[in-house]
Amino acid sequence: MTKGIPAQRWRYIIPMAVVMYILAYVDRINVAMILPYIDKSFGLTAADSGFAAGIFFVGYMLLQVAGGYLASRWSARKVIAILMVLWGITAVLTGFVENRTQLYIARFLLGVFEGGVWPSILVLLATWFPQHERARANGLWITCLPISAVLMAPLTGWLLSFLTWRTVFIIQGLPPLIWVFVWWFFIADKPSQAKWISPEERAYIEQRLAIENAAKGPSAGFLAAISDRTVLALAMACFFWMAGFYGFTMWVPAVVKSFSHGGGSLEVGLISAIPFACALVGMVVNAAWSDRAMKRQPFIAIPVIIGACGLIAGQMVHTPGLQLFFLIVAAVGVYCPYGPFWAVPSAILRSEISGAAMGFINMGNLGGFLGPFAVGYVRSETGSGFAGFFLLSVFLFIVAGVAMMLGSDRRAAKVRAAEAKPASMLAQPGD
């Protein structure tokens, strides 16, 4: 936040976006808590459970580019509202599946409808927050992920203690169908459309973004953007990061259950929330450091290395306290890169093409299929989770290596020079 400039954007856009994506993320991750109960109905193996968790990401990649493109060229607000209705309906219908095939289809469709939301919200944030604020804006918004885990793992466990898994799916699918009305009436695509923003704040944002966009030069078009080496590297990093990220998050309840000696669903949910609460704090701090240093690469690479070490070390200890400690280390490591990582594309690409490019990068979420499935498959074949978690750590080390190579890109220096212009150099309202 810049001294002397009104900051209503932080009070309106971020909280609305956080609540919206919490509702999306809950419908995505509640399956980790619910799968053991579905198993009793459908007789799922560990590999089946991993497939049910992972098939979401096959659907998730389909609307990435289209969603980002429509958000940039049409309206992020409208794209998200439409998708909110569709994913809410799909989440409710998951409570009515009758066999594993229908479960797979429901999870696939849920991925399709949630797929366009991520690049769309990144486009929205990029129209409200200049580059020197963007890692913090991204980081604060993405706190919705650990918040979801902190709140919803215990809530889902509590609901499962007295409701059927079908009813839990239905209950947790309804809130998006309500929140869409709040979203529609309070969110604006850009400052010029918002009634609640002051003229000073509107002018500040628009002038800052104009300076940044001019520093990036003319748009080379979508095909040139997705063939750009930095964009390709980010997509590769995203794939392996999501493989490690979701491989870890989807199996946290199972790991907690193993060292809690078969604790009840509420106990498992409460313990599972602890690593994510710590990750929330780490995300905010890491994003703030990244903005302050105006560097991205080390704030991506160092956390994932820490996360990888946490995954490996957690498999080599056998006391519950140490196992929980290393779960916390791993959670902090895999969550912290979000703010800096997603500040990179909008720093090097013009606004009219950055949405589609970010959607392309986010297709790396297909790694979210690989991670859970690999862990489930290895557990089925070996009866141990060590090899699966070691594989996840390898994925994270790859991410660190790719992230550090991004430092060779010189275009960001020109944009950073534009961002570094003091506020006094900007035209004031009415000038």
Side-chain angles (χ1 to χ4, degrees), residues 28 51-60 107-108 110-112 114:
R28 183 183 314 178
F51 188 84
I55 191 66
F56 170 95
F57 297 97
V58 178
Y60 188 79
R107 293 286 301 168
F108 173 81
L110 186 67
V112 171
E114 288 191 11

Side-chain angles (χ1 to χ4, degrees), residues 125-139:
L125 294 178
T127 62
W128 279 96
F129 298 93
Q131 183 61 26
H132 69 281
E133 300 176 342
R134 203 163 295 154
R136 281 170 291 165
N138 290 345

Side-chain angles (χ1 to χ4, degrees), residues 1-3 5 7 9-11 132-133 136 140 204:
M1 287 169 254
T2 303
K3 186 177 180 180
I5 300 297
R9 62 195 180 279
W10 296 92
R11 303 184 186 102
H132 69 281
E133 300 176 342
R136 281 170 291 165
L140 286 171
Y204 170 79

Side-chain angles (χ1 to χ4, degrees), residues 397-415:
F397 280 121
I398 293 173
V399 176
V402 174
M404 291 312 298
M405 288 191 295
L406 295 176
S408 62
D409 195 291
R410 298 180 179 178
R411 290 170 300 166
K414 185 177 181 181
V415 179

Side-chain angles (χ1 to χ4, degrees), residues 153-169:
L155 177 60
T156 301
W158 176 66
L159 291 173
L160 287 168
S161 68
F162 63 91
L163 295 174
T164 68
W165 62 266
R166 296 181 183 279
T167 306
V168 174
F169 270 133

